[in-house]
Amino acid sequence: MHIPKVSVVIPVYKVEQYLRRCVDSVLAQTLSDLEIILVDDGSPDHCPEICDEYASKHENIRVIHKPNGGLASARNAGMKVATGQYLFFLDSDDWLDADGLEQLYLCAEKYQVDFVRYRAIRSGWPGMEPHAACMVEPVRELHEGYYNRDTILKEVYPRLMATPQLTMGAVVGACGSLYRMDFLRQNDLIFYEEVKFSEDLVFSARVVRAARSFYFIDTPGVYHYFYNPNSISKSFRSGRWESCKGLIHACERDFGRDTEYDFSGQLHCLRWFC
């Protein structure tokens, strides 16, 4: 069976004004041999028709139509059918630089890491310069380069999920990495579907804990993180408190009795700011 270099999973829900820009940016990639998986998560607008239109014109695009289940559910559905050597998540209101996936793929192949992380670009954010680098709080910042298991334990574990400054951890955001597919599957790394908001916090923490190595590219590029005022992270959603409790419960279940590191302090901080 043919194995594409990268499977790109794009969850789709109520983004008809942005979807073509997103998919076109993947079709324009300089890296050839991509698989594009559009997951229509029960979108009530014209997104399902747009997805089917693209699939009818491009052999490397496949569409999953499913009842609405949230972002975690949509990503899991895409992961389940993905066949690529590597996996990349792209939100449907964002887009990629033309050479974005090629940069990540070549880095992953060169260093033979479990995932490659990078610094994205903010586009269209109020009060920010166009194409501003995605910076985070200083306590969360990573230095560019190769992280082996020892470095992960020393530099990332102390801020894996949360920091004493009440911020999220150093490696958060499913769209911020290119993942080796067999690494994800061997470690059963999927999203907890009961967590509807910040679902990638616990996913990212589990990824780092399982990883033997990763590489961080600090030069801004690859991914344009668009300011969409209607996105999950920038608008009110009912049920957010219940989901936050679900997130805390998931983190406590997975990390509360870890035998390699004491995460009790981070779990305490997580309860404060979630």
Side-chain angles (χ1 to χ4, degrees), residues 15-165:
V15 286
E16 61 183 6
Q17 67 188 110
Y18 307 120
L19 183 56
R20 293 184 185 278
R21 178 181 65 186
C22 174
V23 179
D24 287 343
S25 77
V26 185
L27 291 170
Q29 290 297 295
T30 57
L31 181 69
S32 60
D33 199 11
L34 303 177
E35 173 184 55
I36 304 172
I37 302 170
L38 302 175
V39 185
D40 163 34
D41 192 34
S43 187
D45 56 7
H46 290 98
C47 283
E49 292 86 353
I50 297 173
C51 290
D52 289 339
E53 175 193 330
Y54 271 98
S56 70
K57 295 178 180 178
H58 301 276
E59 292 184 353
N60 64 329
I61 295 181
R62 58 194 302 189
V63 179
I64 299 171
H65 295 289
K66 60 182 288 296
N68 179 252
L71 188 54
S73 172
R75 285 174 174 163
N76 282 343
M79 291 174 69
K80 186 175 181 179
V81 302
T83 63
Q85 181 184 359
Y86 293 92
L87 182 72
F88 188 83
F89 296 109
L90 173 59
D91 285 347
S92 47
D93 48 5
D94 300 330
W95 70 95
L96 301 176
D97 284 338
D99 64 345
L101 292 179
E102 184 173 18
Q103 289 184 53
L104 301 182
Y105 176 81
L106 292 176
C107 182
E109 288 289 283
K110 178 179 179 179
Y111 293 102
Q112 290 295 297
V113 289
D114 292 320
F115 66 95
V116 175
R117 194 151 185 88
Y118 63 91
R119 190 180 299 281
I121 299 169
R122 296 185 190 271
S123 293
W125 283 64
M128 289 189 178
E129 294 293 325
H131 311 308
C134 278
M135 307 299 293
V136 295
E137 298 89 347
V139 70
R140 297 176 59 197
E141 287 287 2
L142 298 172
H143 62 80
E144 176 158 0
Y146 177 83
Y147 289 72
N148 61 22
R149 189 62 190 166
D150 287 341
T151 316
I152 292 171
L153 289 170
K154 293 176 182 176
E155 298 188 19
V156 184
Y157 262 45
R159 50 202 176 129
L160 184 64
M161 290 173 285
T163 71
Q165 290 78 9

Side-chain angles (χ1 to χ4, degrees), residues 202-214:
V202 64
F203 173 81
S204 298
R206 293 176 66 224
V207 164
V208 173
R209 183 170 63 179
R212 305 309 302 174
S213 62
F214 74 91

